[in-house]
Amino acid sequence: MKPTASVAPEPRNFFQDVHEVVRLIPAGRVSTYGTIAHYLGARQGARTVGYAMMGAHPDASIPAHRVVNRLGHLTGRLHFATPTAMQEALEAEGVRVEDDRVVDFDQLFWDPAVELA
């Protein structure tokens, strides 16, 4: 009897993992680069999550506008089609933004470690 070859699992792509998590953020809620990185096991990976979000803008299925910095600031806004597109997308979902910062950030914050537990 011939042994069967084991098939190695396909390597995980961190950017794809980030995009999968971001797709789960509900409309009207926001998460942070660092929180997503921590959830995916990359405690110091906030910047890498930011890079993943920069590449996500052409894909409408990834709500990149829902990812902000740890203080609720729209630090990714300059990577959108226009400097106000991120704010406009959030406001269309009922999220108030003042001075490039999410109002009521603490109440709107979505933590995948808590929400997906």
Side-chain angles (χ1 to χ4, degrees):
M1 185 180 247
K2 233 175 158 177
T4 58
S6 64
V7 178
E10 203 164 305
R12 295 184 61 88
N13 178 309
F14 186 75
F15 279 25
Q16 289 172 336
D17 291 346
V18 168
H19 297 166
E20 286 178 25
V21 172
V22 172
R23 283 185 182 102
L24 299 174
I25 303 170
R29 304 281 302 276
V30 294
S31 194
T32 67
Y33 303 102
T35 300
I36 293 168
H38 188 265
Y39 177 74
L40 293 173
R43 294 182 84 78
Q44 303 299 317
R47 186 164 294 177
T48 306
V49 171
Y51 294 140
M53 299 312 333
M54 285 182 354
H57 299 289
D59 187 341
S61 75
I62 304 169
H65 62 282
R66 296 180 190 152
V67 184
V68 298
N69 82 355
R70 65 186 177 87
L71 301 174
H73 292 273
L74 311 188
T75 52
R77 70 183 174 82
L78 297 177
H79 299 287
F80 283 79
T82 68
T84 59
M86 183 177 188
Q87 179 172 339
E88 291 165 2
L90 286 167
E91 288 173 341
E93 296 179 353
V95 176
R96 284 186 37 235
V97 176
E98 291 178 6
D99 298 322
D100 292 327
R101 185 176 186 280
V102 173
V103 177
D104 300 323
F105 173 68
D106 293 338
Q107 288 77 32
L108 299 176
F109 176 67
W110 184 84
D111 183 346
V114 173
E115 305 286 343
L116 301 177

